[in-house]
Amino acid sequence: MTEGHARHDRHTVALMGNPNTGKSSLFSALTGTRQKVANFPGVTVEAKIGTARFENSELTIIDLPGTYSLAARSPDERVATDALLGRIDGTAKPDGVIIVLDASSLDRNLYLGTQVLEFGLPAVVALTMVDVAESRGITVDVKKLSEVLGVPVVEINAPKGRGIDELKSTLHRTLHHPGKVLELEYSEDFLRGVDTLHEKLCDLGVKLGFKPARPEALRLLVDGAGPFFDDCEAVGGEEFVNTFFEIRERASAGRSLSMIEAQARYGTIGKWMQEVKQTEAREGRTKTDVVDGILTHKFWGSLVFVLVMGLIFQSIYSWSGPLMDLIDGGFGALGDWVGGMMADGALKSLVVDGIIAGVGGVLIFLPQILVLFLFIAILEDLGYMARAAFLMDRLMSRFGLNGRSFIPMLSGFACAIPAIMGTRVIEDRNTRLTTIFLAPFMSCSARLPVYVLFIAAFVPEMKVLGFIELQGLVLFAMYWVGVLAAIPTALVLKKGILKSKVTPFLLELPSYKTPRVKAVARTLWERAGSFVKRAGTIILAVSVLVWAAGYFPHSQSVDDTYDAEIASVEAEYPEAVVNFNPEEDDESLLAQFKAIDDAHEERVAALEEEGAEDLEEATAESKKQRNAEMAKLSGKSRLAADALNDYASWKTLQEQRGDVENRRAGEHLEESFLGQAGHAIAPAVAPLGWDWRIGMAAIASFPAREVIVATLGTIFNLGSDQDEESDSLRDVIKDAKRADGTPLFTLATGLSIMVFFALCAQCAATLAVMRRETNSWKWPIASFLYMTTLAYFASLVTYQVAHALGA
Amino acid sequence: MSSSTLDKLPVGASARVQDVSGDPALQQRLLEMGVLPGTEVTVVRFAPLGDPMEIKVMGYSLSLRRSEAAHVSVEVAS
């Protein structure tokens, strides 16, 4: 074989089949790790593209989404047809097709099979699940199947690697011969309808921008409505529509066209099966039947379901916590380390507060994503996801969703990011979009810091009805705010905007299989990679933008004022105190006193950490020890006694310096673009009981809700290292005053902020993932506008009502 | 022989499909999934909340809502 030949021997092959047929394992077996995700414009589904090698040839394989039929009622369902015809930009027209058929339900699998064979592409059938079929007493005659279909059939077992080489070589041979169009026995009227419509479509061809294929005419004839019809109507106008319905009228001869198609296909398939398939009645129930008897049982099934869902929720909500803390702490330490090596200024702030914090803000979501997808991948592979949907459909259908929406919605209570990514288990496009839109309404863990801060500060510690903690009750109510807002939203969305009728929820309950570690690992790897690459960049960009808005203009005059203040404070202390730098000095007497003091503080921190019962006593004990050690050291010499005094002065100086720095940061923030924005929106948020500082903190929390806590810390001159448990922050917001001297924060303001954060879309990561999953900016923008408006008015009502009641 | 609709069959009952109606999208989905005149269907169970239902058709298990099954008229062999 010459080099020239080898270079030309490249082919593109589409991989098609029903869901649950082992299509993905076949794709992996063919392509190994050489695969990437292909995004199709305008649709929410994606395909994987990989390369397989056979001798000197290279095969590009497009793994199309699993489907039961080529009928296209939504743009997502049209992808398969478009891909087969090479109509997708950036994806080559396939030279052939691999049709995956599950031997254990061959009849139904062949429905799609006959549709694909009508395209006349060179085709090879990969027959999977032969062992499952045999265990049910079904034997398939491979040679006969090949004869009736008119294409080669190769029996494969992808997980075990059997038949893969034979499939490749068969494919290689087949691709060098033209394919054959499968002709089914339709009625005369029907065939005439297809041909007439095909001619009409060809006339429209120029305006459509492509030459319509005959199988497309068949699809349009039968499907009637759908994206292809919309395209034709757009270019053909009323004249086309009228002719179209006349053609349908004549082709149907009074019957349903779907019925004509289905009967022609299943009629032929039935005849084939008499030759191809032998079924031997088996005694007893299959393994799947036995397992299903338990897992979908009224009592046991519900119990297992509750346990599994509890486990999933618990894992995302708490068990991913340690990993998240590790990432959080790691990036904090990295920021400190890098910051320590850089000179103060805009660049340092950009690197530490913008980039490092931003990357940390992206990776922090990985544990929850990985944990959720670990469960989804295992349960999907096992076959339990379909059962979970079966169990929950009744409940979810009341809100216009379906059973598949349950797990994403549940995950939303931990974090909307994995929840939105998890909606890819929902086949129906409208239901999936609705679920994506609703998931951020579930009260996620990032809202908790906001609730904790304001509940602890403003909700009195008292009991209602003698035993219910009021604080706990308010927290519980906050969780309901989102759910209560989601329900009407769901109904409006489904009926109003998506205008979908109740979509059919026909769900195959596949036979149970053992999950494969490799497949699960691959899913996790893909999900993590796709999140970091596609959503991560947006999240990082937003973090840097918001950092810049909060940093600039950073005027020198502010710095000059505070530098002067520091200088005047330092002037009151001896030089030794001012110049003492514990990081460079660990030998001087000052440093020794500091070491004694630090040891005491470490002991107290350790005591607090372990939650010692006698905390106060133990602290006093430690303090005594410290004082004794200090006295011992200072008693040694006159010099040492002076040093103790200096150490005390140094501690006071540090506090004064910290106070000046915090005020400096506060003023920089106030005069920053963010601060200016806060002032600008102040009149708009005044009816919510907010002043410019709260308004600014709300804007600053756009990258993530919990940022409000640190922003409030900065603006109230406490520094940014505040958390929701911090006493000083709690105290300072209690004391904060408005310009007229009245308290800024009251119970009414606290409630208004909490309600706002329960409903708002202040989470750049959610919006980025929404963009990623819907493949369009339309949805995240709609979500942001809707949630922000809703949050504003809910917060307004909350404040006004609470305020009127005297809260 | 008696006529009924699929949603009204008790667990364990088998029947032959006579006709499939409903709005075009539902009808088409049912037909594609193998629920078409002449096929035999068996009711396996109802979900714990009473809906949807699981049937066996063409050798596999299919879940569908009762409101959807109501569009499938069947003939029960007695």
Side-chain angles (χ1 to χ4, degrees):
Chain A
M1 198 172 277
T2 64
E3 246 189 70
H5 188 152
R7 206 172 44 237
H8 283 102
D9 209 12
R10 276 194 192 151
H11 295 286
T12 302
V13 177
L15 182 59
M16 303 204 60
N18 284 187
N20 314 308
T21 48
K23 188 167 70 70
S24 306
S25 345
L26 172 60
F27 180 66
S28 299
L30 283 170
T31 62
T33 51
R34 294 182 297 272
Q35 45 175 271
K36 63 179 171 80
V37 174
N39 245 318
F40 296 149
V43 297
T44 63
V45 292
E46 58 187 25
K48 278 185 262 174
I49 294 185
T51 42
R53 276 170 225 290
F54 178 75
E55 291 172 1
N56 276 326
S57 62
E58 192 178 280
L59 292 171
T60 302
I61 298 178
I62 314 172
D63 180 21
L64 293 165
T67 179
Y68 296 102
S69 160
L70 290 179
R73 291 165 220 101
S74 78
D76 289 8
E77 291 168 325
R78 200 184 166 193
V79 163
T81 305
D82 279 346
L84 276 180
L85 295 168
R87 296 255 176 76
I88 294 172
D89 285 342
T91 312
K93 182 181 188 309
D95 306 303
V97 58
I98 303 172
I99 304 170
V100 184
L101 298 178
D102 172 350
S104 69
S105 56
L106 197 52
D107 305 49
R108 196 206 62 223
N109 274 256
L110 272 168
Y111 189 87
L112 175 72
T114 58
Q115 287 182 331
V116 175
L117 288 172
E118 281 176 338
F119 278 77
L121 285 166
V124 176
V125 164
L127 190 67
T128 60
M129 312 279 170
V130 175
D131 47 347
V132 179
E134 274 168 5
S135 73
R136 292 194 199 153
I138 302 167
T139 338
V140 176
D141 186 335
V142 174
K143 239 179 102 187
K144 271 272 157 56
L145 181 62
S146 168
E147 262 170 44
V148 297
L149 295 177
V151 300
V153 177
V154 180
E155 188 184 320
I156 62 153
N157 185 334
K160 292 189 179 146
R162 276 209 295 267
I164 304 299
D165 287 337
E166 196 193 335
L167 180 68
K168 282 191 199 171
S169 64
T170 309
L171 194 61
H172 186 72
R173 278 198 308 276
T174 311
L175 287 174
H176 290 274
H177 301 288
K180 220 173 40 191
V181 177
L182 174 72
E183 309 233 3
L184 291 181
E185 290 167 28
Y186 297 108
S187 67
E188 292 268 317
D189 289 331
F190 185 87
L191 283 174
R192 205 173 305 124
V194 174
D195 288 330
T196 322
L197 183 59
H198 188 210
E199 275 168 38
K200 276 275 154 225
L201 289 175
C202 288
D203 293 345
L204 283 183
V206 181
K207 287 189 204 161
L208 281 169
F210 55 81
K211 186 178 178 297
R214 191 170 181 271
E216 266 183 304
L218 188 155
R219 281 268 53 87
L220 182 61
L221 183 73
V222 176
D223 300 349
F228 190 35
F229 175 77
D230 296 343
D231 289 352
C232 293
E233 190 184 16
V235 295
E238 206 178 320
E239 193 201 329
F240 171 80
V241 176
N242 290 338
T243 326
F244 175 62
F245 283 105
E246 269 170 43
I247 297 173
R248 285 196 88 192
E249 187 76 41
R250 263 179 272 142
S252 66
R255 296 175 62 212
S256 143
L257 287 159
S258 306
M259 188 71 90
I260 296 175
E261 186 195 3
Q263 286 187 324
R265 294 193 194 285
Y266 278 119
T268 309
I269 294 167
K271 268 186 232 155
W272 287 342
M273 287 305 108
Q274 287 175 1
E275 295 179 51
V276 170
K277 196 171 77 171
Q278 280 197 318
T279 313
E280 175 192 319
R282 284 279 158 103
E283 289 293 308
R285 305 191 299 164
T286 65
K287 265 187 241 160
T288 293
D289 289 340
V290 176
V291 178
D292 258 343
I294 302 163
L295 292 185
T296 54
H297 185 268
K298 268 198 175 62
F299 176 76
W300 297 114
S302 308
L303 184 70
V304 170
F305 178 79
V306 168
L307 290 176
V308 171
M309 293 305 128
L311 180 70
I312 294 180
F313 184 73
Q314 183 68 15
S315 330
I316 318 175
Y317 198 86
S318 359
W319 294 344
S320 50
L323 252 172
M324 293 171 76
D325 290 344
L326 209 67
I327 293 175
D328 200 24
F331 276 86
L334 180 69
D336 289 346
W337 183 69
V338 173
M341 296 191 307
M342 295 178 70
D344 282 344
L347 186 65
K348 172 175 163 177
S349 183
L350 168 68
V351 171
V352 176
D353 304 325
I355 298 172
I356 295 180
V359 172
V362 171
L363 297 185
I364 195 87
F365 291 110
L366 278 184
Q368 290 180 324
I369 292 173
L370 291 177
V371 167
L372 178 65
F373 274 92
L374 176 69
F375 282 103
I376 289 187
I378 293 176
L379 295 180
E380 184 82 65
D381 229 25
L382 194 71
Y384 188 73
M385 286 296 278
R387 271 74 186 185
F390 177 69
L391 293 174
M392 275 300 113
D393 183 58
R394 175 84 192 266
L395 184 72
M396 303 309 283
S397 68
R398 291 192 182 172
F399 311 116
L401 303 173
N402 71 39
R404 290 269 195 196
S405 310
F406 185 79
I407 289 180
M409 289 306 239
L410 177 78
S411 317
F413 283 101
C415 179
I417 316 299
I420 290 173
M421 292 175 73
T423 60
R424 50 183 65 213
V425 298
I426 305 169
E427 294 101 347
D428 177 62
R429 178 184 165 94
N430 283 347
T431 308
R432 177 157 183 228
L433 290 171
T434 311
T435 311
I436 287 177
F437 200 80
L438 296 181
F441 282 91
M442 304 301 112
S443 205
C444 68
S445 54
R447 275 134 162 145
L448 202 56
V450 185
Y451 300 156
V452 168
L453 174 67
F454 289 100
I455 287 178
F458 300 104
V459 178
E461 272 187 62
M462 57 179 270
K463 290 201 160 85
V464 188
L465 301 174
F467 66 96
I468 306 166
E469 291 280 355
L470 182 62
Q471 292 191 335
L473 197 65
V474 173
L475 185 62
F476 185 69
M478 291 320 299
Y479 274 85
W480 273 99
V481 168
V483 176
L484 291 178
I487 295 171
T489 305
L491 300 177
V492 168
L493 203 58
K494 284 284 273 193
K495 299 241 163 72
I497 296 150
L498 292 169
K499 291 198 182 69
S500 57
K501 293 178 211 145
V502 180
T503 37
F505 186 57
L506 301 188
L507 175 76
E508 182 190 358
L509 301 172
S511 47
Y512 288 102
K513 297 182 189 80
T514 319
R516 291 150 298 136
V517 177
K518 251 186 168 172
V520 170
R522 193 173 296 119
T523 305
L524 292 185
W525 178 247
E526 269 169 29
R527 287 302 122 233
S530 132
F531 170 75
V532 170
K533 263 186 280 175
R534 304 196 189 215
T537 41
I538 303 175
I539 301 169
L540 181 59
V542 170
S543 307
V544 171
L545 270 176
V546 172
W547 163 82
Y551 186 85
F552 292 109
H554 210 86
S555 64
Q556 189 59 42
S557 63
V558 173
D559 275 335
D560 290 344
T561 316
Y562 287 95
D563 285 345
E565 193 180 336
I566 288 207
S568 78
V569 169
E570 286 176 349
E572 290 173 22
Y573 293 88
E575 220 167 286
V577 172
V578 174
N579 293 336
F580 172 54
N581 181 354
E583 276 173 34
E584 285 170 7
D585 172 2
D586 49 11
E587 283 171 8
S588 70
L589 283 161
L590 266 174
Q592 289 177 36
F593 281 114
K594 184 168 186 299
I596 293 171
D597 211 16
D598 288 349
H600 159 66
E601 266 163 29
E602 270 168 37
R603 285 195 297 270
V604 174
L607 286 167
E608 278 171 359
E609 181 99 331
E610 69 193 33
E613 278 174 29
D614 51 346
L615 188 63
E616 244 169 73
E617 264 173 59
T619 308
E621 189 68 28
S622 165
K623 202 167 180 175
K624 234 183 183 165
Q625 186 187 339
R626 177 194 70 166
N627 291 347
E629 282 170 18
M630 282 189 172
K632 193 176 158 202
L633 182 60
S634 68
K636 276 190 180 159
S637 68
R638 180 71 194 272
L639 220 57
D642 286 345
L644 181 56
N645 277 335
D646 282 351
Y647 178 66
S649 307
W650 180 79
K651 276 182 80 174
T652 321
L653 173 62
Q654 282 304 91
E655 265 171 39
Q656 289 173 320
R657 278 171 171 161
D659 174 57
V660 176
E661 289 306 330
N662 287 341
R663 277 187 286 123
R664 182 206 297 264
E667 189 160 340
H668 273 308
L669 185 54
E670 176 166 7
E671 58 130 48
S672 72
F673 297 122
L674 213 53
Q676 293 171 25
H679 279 293
I681 64 159
V685 295
L688 276 55
W690 301 4
D691 74 341
W692 70 270
R693 288 171 289 194
I694 307 175
M696 184 205 62
I699 299 175
S701 63
F702 179 62
R705 290 181 181 83
E706 66 272 23
V707 171
I708 189 184
V709 177
T711 312
L712 287 174
T714 306
I715 201 64
F716 289 112
N717 301 337
L718 294 168
S720 60
D721 51 350
Q722 297 296 319
D723 65 32
E724 66 278 10
E725 308 272 348
S726 147
D727 289 332
S728 45
L729 181 59
R730 205 172 290 164
D731 291 342
V732 91
I733 63 172
K734 277 184 184 166
D735 292 340
K737 299 276 187 289
R738 291 175 194 277
D740 61 7
T742 55
L744 170 57
F745 290 96
T746 57
L747 176 59
T749 331
L751 288 174
S752 138
I753 296 175
M754 286 194 284
V755 167
F756 186 86
F757 274 81
L759 297 175
C760 72
Q762 297 298 84
C763 178
T766 299
L767 299 173
V769 166
M770 224 180 244
R771 145 89 188 91
R772 160 87 194 84
E773 294 294 322
T774 60
N775 216 354
S776 145
W777 279 109
K778 199 173 77 187
W779 285 93
I781 290 171
S783 165
F784 179 76
L785 294 178
Y786 177 75
M787 290 185 79
T788 307
T789 311
L790 188 69
Y792 180 86
F793 287 106
S795 172
L796 178 81
V797 171
T798 307
Y799 178 75
Q800 295 299 340
V801 170
H803 190 66
L805 294 174
Chain B
M1 295 280 211
S2 63
S3 289
S4 177
T5 49
L6 180 55
D7 60 313
K8 298 213 175 67
L9 297 187
V11 170
S14 294
R16 197 164 289 278
V17 176
Q18 270 190 315
D19 195 18
V20 180
S21 56
D23 86 279
L26 174 64
Q27 188 199 31
Q28 194 175 20
R29 274 312 299 276
L30 285 166
L31 294 168
E32 287 168 354
M33 298 302 279
V35 182
L36 75 160
T39 12
E40 194 179 282
V41 291
T42 307
V43 179
V44 180
R45 62 173 62 82
F46 291 90
L49 298 173
D51 199 23
M53 63 194 291
E54 179 187 340
I55 62 166
K56 269 243 163 13
V57 57
M58 292 205 172
Y60 77 99
S61 296
L62 177 72
S63 153
L64 72 169
R65 291 177 179 159
R66 296 178 95 144
S67 58
E68 294 159 352
H71 293 287
V72 180
S73 52
V74 292
E75 196 166 84
V76 192
S78 49

